[in-house]
Amino acid sequence: MRTHRQLAVATATALALTGGLLALTAGPATAATPAKYADDFNGDGYRDYASGWGGEVTVTYGTTTGPGPKSVTFTQDSPNIPGKAGDAGGYADTFGDHVANADFNRDGYADLAVGDASEKVGTTAAAGAVTILWGAKSGLGTKATRIPAKSKVAFGAALAAGDFNGDGKPDLAVTDVTGTLFVYRGGFSQTGTTGSVTRLEVSPSGAHVLEPTEIVAGKVTKDKATDLYVLGQGYENGRMTEAAWFVQGGSTIKRGKYTTYNASQFDFGSTGVIADFDKNGYGDLAVSDKPYNKGAGSVLVLRGGASGPTTSYRLSQSTAGVATAATRNDRFGYSLSAGDTNRDGYPDLAVGVPEEEVGSVQNAGGVHVLRGGRSGLSGTGSQWFTRATAGVPGSPEDGEALGLFVRLRDFDRDGDADLLVSGDPYRTGVLLRGTASGVTTSHAAETGLDPAFPQ
C-alpha cells in the first residue's frame, strides 16, 4: 500500500464526516455550466488528482501552483460510500483499482466513477459494482451512488469516461471480466439513473476472447465523438495473445478492429494512452507490450485513421537514440503517459522501465521520455532519468522500481507537461519540471503524490 495513500487515514473519516455535514446545510450545487476540467471535484478552477488501489481512493486537491496539501482518503467504510470495505466474498478488495472522472451530472463539479470488480452483491461473490462519488463545493465525499449494473461477473473490471456518442454529455464505459463492454450514455443523476446503455462483445461469434485490463479513451478518428480501446489478455483459436479492441464512438457506437500484438507470455497489466504523436489529426494508441523480447519490453504504436487503427510500429530500448540497452525483464513500457514536454506541439511519451539496472543496483528503475514528431514517436532527442541522474533527489536503491507509475501533466500551468514518476509504493516519487527544451532536473522535488490518476 502506498505510504502517501495512508497519510490521511487518521483524518480521512473526520474530513469525510465534515463533508457529509456540509451536504446537509449547503444544499445542491448552483453552478450553471459543466465543470471546466473533468477532474475539478470542488469547482475551484484547479485540476485535482484521484487515484486508488486495494480498497481505497485518495484525492489530492489542486491549487494555482499544482497539487496542494489537502488529501482525503475514502474506503467503503467512509460515510456516504455504498458497500463495506473488504467485503469481497473471499477476493481481494479492488475498490479504487480503476477510476474515471467527468462532470457526469453537469452541475459544475467533476465526479469520480470508482470500479470494484471484487464487490459481493447479495450472495454473489465478485459480482462487481461501479460507484460515482459526486463532486461538490467541499469536494468529494458528500454523496455517492451506484449505477445500475448490467453484468454480475466482475462488473467494473475497467472504466473510462468520454463523450462516446458526440452529444456533448460525458458517458461512462465499463467492462466486466468477460470482455463485454457497456457504454452508459450521459444523463447521470445522483438518484442513480443514467442514459441508455449500449452493450458490445468483442466477438459475438466467439472467435476472440478478451480479459480486459484497461479501457483507453481518446480521439482516434476526426469526428467529435470520443473513441476507445479495450486492452487485455486475449485468446484466439485457443492461443494466448495480447490484444487491443477498437470501438468507434459516434451516434451509433461501433465494434471495430481487434488487433493482436504478442503471443509469448501472459500479461494481465497492459496499459496504454491515445495521443496524436505525429499531428496528422488522428489519435494513435501507444500500448505496452512488456513480455516482448523475453521481458525486455516494448511499446507498440497503432496509428489512427478515418475508421480506427491502421499501421503500427514498435519502440524499445533497441530503438536508435534510446538510452540503455534492451535486456531481459527490464519491463520497458510498464507504465505510459503522453504530454508535450517541450512546447513543440507534438505529444511526447513517458515510458517507465521499473526493472532496469542502474549501475550495479538491481531493479532500481527509471523512465524514458520519447519525442513526438512528424513521423510519430522516435528515440531521437529522447531523455532518460533515474535516481543516478544529476539533480534527481536520492540515490538508486535495489528494488525501488522507479517507473512503475508515470504521469505527464502541466502541474504548474506554464504550458509544458511535467513528469511525475514513482516506484515502490512505500517510497516517495519524483516531480521533474518541463521546459521549452524538455524535462529538466532543475528544481526537481520528491513528492508523495500518486501518479496513478487518470491521464
Side-chain angles (χ1 to χ4, degrees):
M1 186 70 66
R2 288 181 176 276
T3 302
H4 54 277
R5 283 174 173 158
Q6 297 177 322
L7 291 177
V9 168
T11 59
T13 301
L15 286 168
L17 281 168
T18 301
L21 292 173
L22 286 173
L24 296 176
T25 58
T30 58
T33 58
K36 179 179 179 181
Y37 298 113
D39 47 12
D40 180 9
F41 303 117
N42 58 0
D44 63 358
Y46 305 122
R47 301 186 71 176
D48 305 317
Y49 313 90
S51 60
W53 180 74
E56 62 182 40
V57 172
T58 295
V59 182
T60 299
Y61 290 93
T63 68
T64 186
T65 56
K70 180 183 177 183
S71 290
V72 183
T73 296
F74 300 98
T75 73
Q76 289 178 292
D77 286 341
S78 299
N80 308 317
I81 308 297
K84 180 180 178 182
D87 185 19
Y91 295 83
D93 192 344
T94 62
F95 178 80
D97 281 13
H98 292 272
V99 298
N101 43 240
D103 184 358
F104 289 112
N105 61 351
R106 296 165 59 82
D107 66 350
Y109 302 108
D111 312 302
L112 186 71
V114 182
D116 183 3
S118 70
E119 184 74 355
K120 183 180 180 181
V121 180
T123 59
T124 305
V130 175
T131 302
I132 296 180
L133 279 60
W134 301 103
K137 188 174 182 179
S138 57
L140 298 178
T142 61
K143 188 170 184 179
T145 309
R146 281 189 180 173
I147 66 171
K150 298 298 182 180
S151 168
K152 294 183 179 180
V153 188
F155 181 71
L159 307 175
D163 182 9
F164 301 116
N165 64 348
D167 67 354
K169 299 177 183 179
D171 309 312
L172 180 65
V174 184
T175 66
D176 64 13
V177 76
T178 70
T180 305
L181 175 71
F182 306 91
V183 179
Y184 289 72
R185 286 178 170 80
F188 296 88
S189 76
Q190 293 188 9
T191 63
T193 62
T194 73
S196 61
V197 182
T198 296
R199 181 182 187 275
L200 294 173
E201 295 180 2
V202 62
S203 177
S205 68
H208 306 297
V209 177
L210 184 67
E211 298 179 22
T213 59
E214 185 172 356
I215 304 173
V216 185
K219 296 291 185 69
V220 176
T221 62
K222 289 185 178 181
D223 61 19
K224 62 182 181 180
T226 306
D227 307 303
L228 57 87
Y229 283 92
V230 180
L231 308 180
Q233 184 70 47
Y235 299 87
E236 185 173 8
N237 299 320
R239 187 179 182 187
M240 175 179 56
T241 64
E242 288 182 72
W245 171 31
F246 176 70
V247 177
Q248 185 170 356
S251 55
T252 300
I253 299 170
K254 302 176 182 177
R255 181 184 297 105
K257 186 176 180 180
Y258 183 83
T259 302
T260 59
Y261 55 90
N262 192 306
S264 61
Q265 298 180 31
F266 279 104
D267 180 13
F268 287 104
S270 298
T271 188
V273 62
I274 294 171
D276 186 5
F277 296 112
D278 54 9
K279 286 183 64 178
N280 68 351
Y282 299 107
D284 311 310
L285 172 72
V287 58
S288 64
D289 184 4
K290 301 188 293 294
Y292 179 79
N293 190 19
K294 299 179 180 179
S298 71
V299 174
L300 184 79
V301 180
L302 292 176
R303 294 184 177 93
S307 58
T310 58
T311 58
S312 66
Y313 59 97
R314 193 179 291 270
L315 300 148
S316 71
Q317 291 178 106
S318 297
T319 300
V322 176
T324 73
T327 54
R328 189 180 185 124
N329 294 330
D330 284 342
R331 307 302 178 189
F332 178 92
Y334 190 96
S335 56
L336 302 172
S337 187
D340 183 2
T341 64
N342 60 349
R343 307 181 198 175
D344 65 354
Y346 291 95
D348 308 310
L349 185 71
V351 182
V353 195
E355 296 187 39
E356 178 71 26
E357 182 177 321
V358 177
S360 60
V361 182
Q362 299 290 320
N363 300 326
V367 56
H368 292 278
V369 179
L370 308 181
R371 301 285 190 212
R374 292 182 62 184
S375 299
L377 292 169
S378 75
T380 302
S382 67
Q383 296 179 278
W384 168 239
F385 300 97
T386 72
R387 291 282 190 182
T389 303
V392 175
S395 301
E397 294 185 18
D398 187 3
E400 179 179 7
L402 193 70
L404 274 177
F405 304 93
V406 299
R407 277 296 179 269
L408 290 174
R409 173 73 66 85
D410 186 6
F411 294 100
D412 54 11
R413 306 196 303 172
D414 65 352
D416 44 56
D418 309 304
L419 173 62
L420 178 66
V421 55
S422 71
D424 179 348
Y426 291 96
R427 312 183 205 202
T428 57
V430 177
L431 178 61
L432 306 176
R433 299 294 181 181
T435 69
S437 57
V439 178
T440 179
T441 60
S442 178
H443 305 295
E446 290 195 288
T447 177
L449 182 66
D450 187 347
F453 51 82
Q455 297 278 353

PDB file of all heavy atoms in Angstrom, residues 350-372:
ATOM      1  N   ALA A 350       6.099   9.347 -21.999  1.00  0.00           N
ATOM      2  CA  ALA A 350       6.902   8.866 -20.882  1.00  0.00           C
ATOM      3  C   ALA A 350       6.721   7.359 -20.768  1.00  0.00           C
ATOM      4  O   ALA A 350       5.591   6.861 -20.797  1.00  0.00           O
ATOM      5  CB  ALA A 350       6.479   9.547 -19.587  1.00  0.00           C
ATOM      6  N   VAL A 351       7.843   6.647 -20.659  1.00  0.00           N
ATOM      7  CA  VAL A 351       7.834   5.178 -20.638  1.00  0.00           C
ATOM      8  C   VAL A 351       8.588   4.697 -19.400  1.00  0.00           C
ATOM      9  O   VAL A 351       9.796   4.900 -19.283  1.00  0.00           O
ATOM     10  CB  VAL A 351       8.496   4.596 -21.903  1.00  0.00           C
ATOM     11  CG1 VAL A 351       8.428   3.071 -21.883  1.00  0.00           C
ATOM     12  CG2 VAL A 351       7.860   5.157 -23.160  1.00  0.00           C
ATOM     13  N   GLY A 352       7.885   4.066 -18.478  1.00  0.00           N
ATOM     14  CA  GLY A 352       8.525   3.534 -17.286  1.00  0.00           C
ATOM     15  C   GLY A 352       9.237   2.219 -17.563  1.00  0.00           C
ATOM     16  O   GLY A 352       8.749   1.380 -18.320  1.00  0.00           O
ATOM     17  N   VAL A 353      10.411   2.061 -16.940  1.00  0.00           N
ATOM     18  CA  VAL A 353      11.206   0.825 -17.054  1.00  0.00           C
ATOM     19  C   VAL A 353      11.605   0.411 -15.639  1.00  0.00           C
ATOM     20  O   VAL A 353      12.743   0.586 -15.219  1.00  0.00           O
ATOM     21  CB  VAL A 353      12.459   1.031 -17.937  1.00  0.00           C
ATOM     22  CG1 VAL A 353      13.053  -0.315 -18.351  1.00  0.00           C
ATOM     23  CG2 VAL A 353      12.146   1.865 -19.167  1.00  0.00           C
ATOM     24  N   PRO A 354      10.696  -0.153 -14.867  1.00  0.00           N
ATOM     25  CA  PRO A 354      10.929  -0.320 -13.429  1.00  0.00           C
ATOM     26  C   PRO A 354      11.976  -1.352 -13.044  1.00  0.00           C
ATOM     27  O   PRO A 354      12.500  -1.291 -11.926  1.00  0.00           O
ATOM     28  CB  PRO A 354       9.541  -0.726 -12.904  1.00  0.00           C
ATOM     29  CG  PRO A 354       8.855  -1.329 -14.082  1.00  0.00           C
ATOM     30  CD  PRO A 354       9.339  -0.558 -15.269  1.00  0.00           C
ATOM     31  N   GLU A 355      12.287  -2.297 -13.924  1.00  0.00           N
ATOM     32  CA  GLU A 355      13.253  -3.328 -13.545  1.00  0.00           C
ATOM     33  C   GLU A 355      14.626  -3.111 -14.190  1.00  0.00           C
ATOM     34  O   GLU A 355      15.464  -4.018 -14.207  1.00  0.00           O
ATOM     35  CB  GLU A 355      12.693  -4.712 -13.882  1.00  0.00           C
ATOM     36  CG  GLU A 355      11.436  -5.028 -13.080  1.00  0.00           C
ATOM     37  CD  GLU A 355      10.941  -6.456 -13.262  1.00  0.00           C
ATOM     38  OE1 GLU A 355      11.787  -7.374 -13.337  1.00  0.00           O
ATOM     39  OE2 GLU A 355       9.713  -6.647 -13.322  1.00  0.00           O
ATOM     40  N   GLU A 356      14.861  -1.899 -14.675  1.00  0.00           N
ATOM     41  CA  GLU A 356      16.158  -1.563 -15.264  1.00  0.00           C
ATOM     42  C   GLU A 356      17.236  -1.506 -14.173  1.00  0.00           C
ATOM     43  O   GLU A 356      17.026  -0.978 -13.078  1.00  0.00           O
ATOM     44  CB  GLU A 356      16.075  -0.205 -15.969  1.00  0.00           C
ATOM     45  CG  GLU A 356      17.375   0.274 -16.570  1.00  0.00           C
ATOM     46  CD  GLU A 356      17.783  -0.537 -17.792  1.00  0.00           C
ATOM     47  OE1 GLU A 356      16.892  -1.104 -18.457  1.00  0.00           O
ATOM     48  OE2 GLU A 356      18.996  -0.576 -18.081  1.00  0.00           O
ATOM     49  N   GLU A 357      18.377  -2.061 -14.487  1.00  0.00           N
ATOM     50  CA  GLU A 357      19.528  -1.984 -13.590  1.00  0.00           C
ATOM     51  C   GLU A 357      20.200  -0.622 -13.761  1.00  0.00           C
ATOM     52  O   GLU A 357      20.425  -0.163 -14.878  1.00  0.00           O
ATOM     53  CB  GLU A 357      20.513  -3.109 -13.925  1.00  0.00           C
ATOM     54  CG  GLU A 357      21.742  -3.171 -13.038  1.00  0.00           C
ATOM     55  CD  GLU A 357      22.627  -4.351 -13.385  1.00  0.00           C
ATOM     56  OE1 GLU A 357      22.079  -5.431 -13.688  1.00  0.00           O
ATOM     57  OE2 GLU A 357      23.864  -4.198 -13.380  1.00  0.00           O
ATOM     58  N   VAL A 358      20.513   0.041 -12.662  1.00  0.00           N
ATOM     59  CA  VAL A 358      21.198   1.341 -12.701  1.00  0.00           C
ATOM     60  C   VAL A 358      22.556   1.160 -12.050  1.00  0.00           C
ATOM     61  O   VAL A 358      22.649   0.966 -10.843  1.00  0.00           O
ATOM     62  CB  VAL A 358      20.378   2.426 -11.978  1.00  0.00           C
ATOM     63  CG1 VAL A 358      21.144   3.754 -11.979  1.00  0.00           C
ATOM     64  CG2 VAL A 358      19.017   2.595 -12.643  1.00  0.00           C
ATOM     65  N   GLY A 359      23.601   1.196 -12.881  1.00  0.00           N
ATOM     66  CA  GLY A 359      24.921   0.832 -12.378  1.00  0.00           C
ATOM     67  C   GLY A 359      24.885  -0.622 -11.976  1.00  0.00           C
ATOM     68  O   GLY A 359      24.546  -1.499 -12.770  1.00  0.00           O
ATOM     69  N   SER A 360      25.198  -0.895 -10.727  1.00  0.00           N
ATOM     70  CA  SER A 360      25.147  -2.270 -10.224  1.00  0.00           C
ATOM     71  C   SER A 360      23.908  -2.529  -9.378  1.00  0.00           C
ATOM     72  O   SER A 360      23.775  -3.601  -8.782  1.00  0.00           O
ATOM     73  CB  SER A 360      26.400  -2.553  -9.377  1.00  0.00           C
ATOM     74  OG  SER A 360      26.465  -1.660  -8.276  1.00  0.00           O
ATOM     75  N   VAL A 361      22.997  -1.558  -9.347  1.00  0.00           N
ATOM     76  CA  VAL A 361      21.809  -1.674  -8.497  1.00  0.00           C
ATOM     77  C   VAL A 361      20.676  -2.326  -9.274  1.00  0.00           C
ATOM     78  O   VAL A 361      20.207  -1.793 -10.283  1.00  0.00           O
ATOM     79  CB  VAL A 361      21.373  -0.288  -7.975  1.00  0.00           C
ATOM     80  CG1 VAL A 361      20.171  -0.429  -7.046  1.00  0.00           C
ATOM     81  CG2 VAL A 361      22.523   0.412  -7.255  1.00  0.00           C
ATOM     82  N   GLN A 362      20.236  -3.470  -8.798  1.00  0.00           N
ATOM     83  CA  GLN A 362      19.199  -4.233  -9.480  1.00  0.00           C
ATOM     84  C   GLN A 362      17.818  -3.592  -9.272  1.00  0.00           C
ATOM     85  O   GLN A 362      17.503  -3.106  -8.185  1.00  0.00           O
ATOM     86  CB  GLN A 362      19.165  -5.667  -8.948  1.00  0.00           C
ATOM     87  CG  GLN A 362      20.458  -6.440  -9.161  1.00  0.00           C
ATOM     88  CD  GLN A 362      20.682  -6.763 -10.626  1.00  0.00           C
ATOM     89  OE1 GLN A 362      19.742  -7.110 -11.343  1.00  0.00           O
ATOM     90  NE2 GLN A 362      21.924  -6.654 -11.070  1.00  0.00           N
ATOM     91  N   ASN A 363      17.013  -3.609 -10.335  1.00  0.00           N
ATOM     92  CA  ASN A 363      15.616  -3.166 -10.259  1.00  0.00           C
ATOM     93  C   ASN A 363      15.474  -1.767  -9.669  1.00  0.00           C
ATOM     94  O   ASN A 363      14.493  -1.459  -8.982  1.00  0.00           O
ATOM     95  CB  ASN A 363      14.781  -4.153  -9.430  1.00  0.00           C
ATOM     96  CG  ASN A 363      14.790  -5.544 -10.030  1.00  0.00           C
ATOM     97  OD1 ASN A 363      14.829  -5.710 -11.241  1.00  0.00           O
ATOM     98  ND2 ASN A 363      14.774  -6.548  -9.163  1.00  0.00           N
ATOM     99  N   ALA A 364      16.445  -0.918  -9.944  1.00  0.00           N
ATOM    100  CA  ALA A 364      16.354   0.470  -9.478  1.00  0.00           C
ATOM    101  C   ALA A 364      15.332   1.237 -10.304  1.00  0.00           C
ATOM    102  O   ALA A 364      14.569   2.051  -9.794  1.00  0.00           O
ATOM    103  CB  ALA A 364      17.719   1.148  -9.552  1.00  0.00           C
ATOM    104  N   GLY A 365      15.314   0.985 -11.619  1.00  0.00           N
ATOM    105  CA  GLY A 365      14.291   1.550 -12.487  1.00  0.00           C
ATOM    106  C   GLY A 365      14.567   2.970 -12.953  1.00  0.00           C
ATOM    107  O   GLY A 365      15.463   3.668 -12.467  1.00  0.00           O
ATOM    108  N   GLY A 366      13.778   3.372 -13.938  1.00  0.00           N
ATOM    109  CA  GLY A 366      13.896   4.714 -14.492  1.00  0.00           C
ATOM    110  C   GLY A 366      12.786   4.975 -15.482  1.00  0.00           C
ATOM    111  O   GLY A 366      11.866   4.164 -15.652  1.00  0.00           O
ATOM    112  N   VAL A 367      12.875   6.111 -16.171  1.00  0.00           N
ATOM    113  CA  VAL A 367      11.827   6.496 -17.118  1.00  0.00           C
ATOM    114  C   VAL A 367      12.453   7.179 -18.326  1.00  0.00           C
ATOM    115  O   VAL A 367      13.357   8.004 -18.192  1.00  0.00           O
ATOM    116  CB  VAL A 367      10.785   7.417 -16.451  1.00  0.00           C
ATOM    117  CG1 VAL A 367      11.420   8.655 -15.843  1.00  0.00           C
ATOM    118  CG2 VAL A 367       9.686   7.807 -17.421  1.00  0.00           C
ATOM    119  N   HIS A 368      12.011   6.784 -19.521  1.00  0.00           N
ATOM    120  CA  HIS A 368      12.386   7.436 -20.766  1.00  0.00           C
ATOM    121  C   HIS A 368      11.307   8.438 -21.159  1.00  0.00           C
ATOM    122  O   HIS A 368      10.119   8.209 -20.901  1.00  0.00           O
ATOM    123  CB  HIS A 368      12.510   6.417 -21.908  1.00  0.00           C
ATOM    124  CG  HIS A 368      13.654   5.465 -21.779  1.00  0.00           C
ATOM    125  ND1 HIS A 368      14.937   5.782 -22.161  1.00  0.00           N
ATOM    126  CD2 HIS A 368      13.710   4.188 -21.313  1.00  0.00           C
ATOM    127  CE1 HIS A 368      15.739   4.745 -21.952  1.00  0.00           C
ATOM    128  NE2 HIS A 368      15.009   3.759 -21.425  1.00  0.00           N
ATOM    129  N   VAL A 369      11.703   9.526 -21.799  1.00  0.00           N
ATOM    130  CA  VAL A 369      10.764  10.436 -22.447  1.00  0.00           C
ATOM    131  C   VAL A 369      11.089  10.432 -23.931  1.00  0.00           C
ATOM    132  O   VAL A 369      12.159  10.887 -24.347  1.00  0.00           O
ATOM    133  CB  VAL A 369      10.840  11.857 -21.878  1.00  0.00           C
ATOM    134  CG1 VAL A 369       9.854  12.767 -22.614  1.00  0.00           C
ATOM    135  CG2 VAL A 369      10.542  11.858 -20.384  1.00  0.00           C
ATOM    136  N   LEU A 370      10.193   9.854 -24.740  1.00  0.00           N
ATOM    137  CA  LEU A 370      10.376   9.748 -26.182  1.00  0.00           C
ATOM    138  C   LEU A 370       9.653  10.900 -26.861  1.00  0.00           C
ATOM    139  O   LEU A 370       8.530  11.250 -26.503  1.00  0.00           O
ATOM    140  CB  LEU A 370       9.830   8.418 -26.695  1.00  0.00           C
ATOM    141  CG  LEU A 370      10.325   7.156 -25.995  1.00  0.00           C
ATOM    142  CD1 LEU A 370       9.712   5.918 -26.646  1.00  0.00           C
ATOM    143  CD2 LEU A 370      11.849   7.070 -26.018  1.00  0.00           C
ATOM    144  N   ARG A 371      10.285  11.482 -27.892  1.00  0.00           N
ATOM    145  CA  ARG A 371       9.743  12.656 -28.556  1.00  0.00           C
ATOM    146  C   ARG A 371       8.730  12.293 -29.644  1.00  0.00           C
ATOM    147  O   ARG A 371       8.939  11.372 -30.435  1.00  0.00           O
ATOM    148  CB  ARG A 371      10.866  13.451 -29.211  1.00  0.00           C
ATOM    149  CG  ARG A 371      11.944  13.940 -28.263  1.00  0.00           C
ATOM    150  CD  ARG A 371      11.457  15.097 -27.456  1.00  0.00           C
ATOM    151  NE  ARG A 371      12.547  15.713 -26.720  1.00  0.00           N
ATOM    152  CZ  ARG A 371      12.415  16.295 -25.559  1.00  0.00           C
ATOM    153  NH1 ARG A 371      11.227  16.338 -24.984  1.00  0.00           N
ATOM    154  NH2 ARG A 371      13.456  16.840 -24.960  1.00  0.00           N
ATOM    155  N   GLY A 372       7.651  13.080 -29.704  1.00  0.00           N
ATOM    156  CA  GLY A 372       6.764  13.024 -30.846  1.00  0.00           C
ATOM    157  C   GLY A 372       7.285  13.913 -31.957  1.00  0.00           C
ATOM    158  O   GLY A 372       8.078  14.831 -31.729  1.00  0.00           O
TER     159      GLY A 372
END
